[in-house]
Every structure is written in structure tokens, then in C-alpha cells.
Amino acid sequence: MNSTTLAQGARPSPAHTARLVLGLFKLRIGVMIMVTALVGLVITPGAALSLAQVAVLALAVLGASASAGAFNQYYEYDTDRLMARTRTRAFVTGALRHSPAWLLLIGGLLAVSVGAAWWALNASAALYTFLGAFFYGVVYTVWLKRRSWTNIVIGGLAGSFAVLAGGAAVDPTLGPLPLLLALVLFLWTPPHFWSLAIANRADYAAAGVPMLPVVVGPERAARVVFASTVALVVASLLPGLFGAGPVYMVGAAAGGGFFLLKSWRLARDTNRKTAMGSFFASLVQLSLLLVGATIDGLIR
């Protein structure tokens, strides 16, 4: 059963509807953001949280991220139809009705997530949980995405706030390690997303979205990606000055070196293959860094 059939009035199966709804909430991205919050928790010195508190943190950040992801698709359904990468989304095809009732569900999910973090953790953790969703759903999606090439730079704070939520759950004053990891997440998002945007530049141009490769051209954007990656790798090594362990440092160095290589190749020869290579290298870099931080935090 495909989305066109559903749009023409066929009744979807419960399993198909569930897949559509799960896709609406961008849970793959939400899980990654949840993981960054848990890493922020693990690396922050302080009293251990109970398993129930850890579960609330994880679910609160996941729920807030899911609400922002759903709002992003709700708000952008008109431009999503213009891009090959997004034109099969449920609101675009009509598989899910674009109804204001979704806004009540999205708002309710965010309120429950933030309220749970406040109740089980503290006000600071709740605030950072809210800010992560706000920056992605409102600052990035509504204010910046269609207006400025800086959209993803500022929108990248969404991931940083997840780290801060995890750190604040342990210690609301936040020491250097969670703050530095939040900085790393902030610097990671632009070269990660701009690599993908270079590969999909025609889509963004057709939709009128001023992503950096559309504004300055793919070759110049590729050079910016490389420069941004250099800044990211330098920042990712700074936690070593503030007590980050050897496993983290190995992961940061190995992942950073790999990302540098791929972004350098992109800057030298800008095409879809090198752009996607840089994009996937960014995922490897972040994964190694987060795994290393987690291992060090657990054995500390």
C-alpha cells in the first residue's frame, strides 16, 4: 500500500498508520539527540541519578525532540512537496491529514516532556529540554530556514541544549565538560548539514531555501565545510584539558581525522559523491566521540 492509494481514500492498516506517525516525529533524529543528553549526563561529575530519573531524562528529551520534528513537518508541508527528499512525507501526500489538531498533540507532547523533566530532575534540565525543541521548531523552522543561510548554524543549538539538559540533570551549574561537549555539538551541525545540502543543492534551490550552497555556490560552501570541520576537530580535543579520558580522546582524534580527510576531499573536488562522503564521515566522527565519552564516563 502506497501513499498515493491512501490519499485517494483507501483505509490504511494500523501498522501502516503507525509507521506514518513515527516518521512524522523524526524518531531517528530524536534518538540521536536523546543519546547526546545521556552522554551529557554521564560526563558530568556529581551524584548519580536513579534509573527512574535517567529514564525520565531520556524520554523527556526524546519527546521534546519528537514534538519539534513533527512541528517541522507540519509547518513545512508546502515546501516539502518541492523537494525530492521530502515530497513523500505524510502531510505532503495526504496520507496524514494536515489538521490543526496536530498542533494540540505536538504542544501537549512538548508540555508533558518539559513538565516531566522539571518534576523528576530540576528546572534547569527542563529549561534546556524546552530550548532544544524551541530552537529547532521555532528559531530554525519558522524564523530562519527560509530567510537566512545561518539557519542551520543557529538551529544547531538544538543538539547542544540536549547535552546541557543531561549535564544539568546532574549539576545545574554545569562544569566545563558538558559545556565543551555542547560546543562540539554546535560546531558539528553546520559541516554535517552543509555536506548534505551540497549533495541536495538543487532541491533546496527549487524550494527557495537559502542553504549555504544555494547562496554562495557548492565550491565555496565546500571550503566553508572544511574550515568548519577544522574548528570542530580543535574544539573536540579541548575536553582533554579538563579531565576527559583517553578513550574519548582516541575517539575524538580518530573520528576528527576521518572527517577532516573527507571534508578536504570535498573541498578539492566538489560533487555529490564527495559531499555524501563528508556527510557520512560526520556521523562517524560524532559516533566515535559520543561512544568514547560514554565509556570514559562509565569507568571514571
Side-chain angles (χ1 to χ4, degrees):
M1 182 181 297
N2 56 41
S3 298
T4 303
T5 302
L6 296 178
Q8 293 173 346
R11 187 170 184 175
S13 68
H16 186 77
T17 300
R19 287 195 297 271
L20 290 173
V21 173
L22 290 176
L24 177 67
F25 288 103
K26 296 188 176 183
L27 290 186
R28 282 183 295 182
I29 296 175
V31 168
M32 177 175 286
I33 291 177
M34 177 187 74
V35 168
T36 64
L38 294 175
V39 173
L41 181 154
V42 168
I43 66 172
T44 303
L49 272 61
S50 68
L51 288 178
Q53 287 177 307
V54 173
V56 169
L57 172 67
L59 292 176
V61 171
L62 178 62
S65 173
S67 71
F71 178 77
N72 173 269
Q73 291 202 39
Y74 182 90
Y75 185 82
E76 295 192 329
Y77 85 106
D78 56 339
T79 55
D80 278 348
R81 70 179 71 251
L82 303 175
M83 300 176 62
R85 190 170 59 89
T86 56
R87 64 172 57 124
T88 59
R89 287 177 171 174
F91 284 143
V92 177
T93 64
L96 292 176
R97 184 184 173 199
H98 189 261
S99 163
W102 283 105
L103 294 178
L104 293 177
L105 176 61
I106 291 166
L109 177 59
L110 178 59
V112 169
S113 299
V114 174
W118 196 326
W119 172 73
L121 301 167
N122 55 59
S124 294
L127 175 63
Y128 293 131
T129 299
F130 168 77
L131 288 175
F134 178 78
F135 266 77
Y136 184 76
V138 178
V139 176
Y140 168 67
T141 300
V142 178
W143 294 348
L144 293 177
K145 185 169 182 179
R146 305 189 200 191
R147 293 182 175 89
S148 171
W149 66 268
T150 63
N151 46 25
I152 200 61
V153 178
I154 300 172
L157 283 169
S160 300
F161 282 124
V163 176
L164 297 180
V170 177
D171 180 4
T173 62
L174 293 174
L177 285 179
L179 289 172
L180 284 172
L181 187 58
L183 173 65
V184 169
L185 263 292
F186 174 70
L187 294 174
W188 175 83
T189 304
H192 162 76
F193 200 90
W194 285 335
S195 296
L196 182 64
I198 291 171
N200 295 294
R201 177 178 175 272
D203 263 3
Y204 287 111
V209 178
M211 288 297 175
L212 184 67
V214 176
V215 175
V216 304
E219 288 78 15
R220 185 175 176 187
R223 293 194 293 272
V224 174
V225 166
F226 177 68
S228 301
T229 305
V230 172
L232 164 65
V233 173
V234 171
S236 72
L237 297 175
L238 290 179
L241 301 176
F242 296 91
V247 181
Y248 169 85
M249 294 303 294
V250 169
F258 182 60
F259 193 9
L260 276 174
L261 173 63
K262 292 295 186 177
S263 62
W264 176 72
R265 288 178 176 173
L266 171 62
R268 288 192 50 151
D269 184 10
T270 306
N271 55 62
R272 180 174 176 81
K273 181 179 178 181
T274 55
M276 292 306 296
S278 179
F279 171 75
F280 286 119
S282 71
L283 296 175
V284 172
Q285 188 261 354
L286 182 63
S287 298
L288 290 175
L289 186 148
L290 293 178
V291 169
T294 301
I295 294 173
D296 274 336
L298 292 176
I299 65 178
R300 186 178 55 227

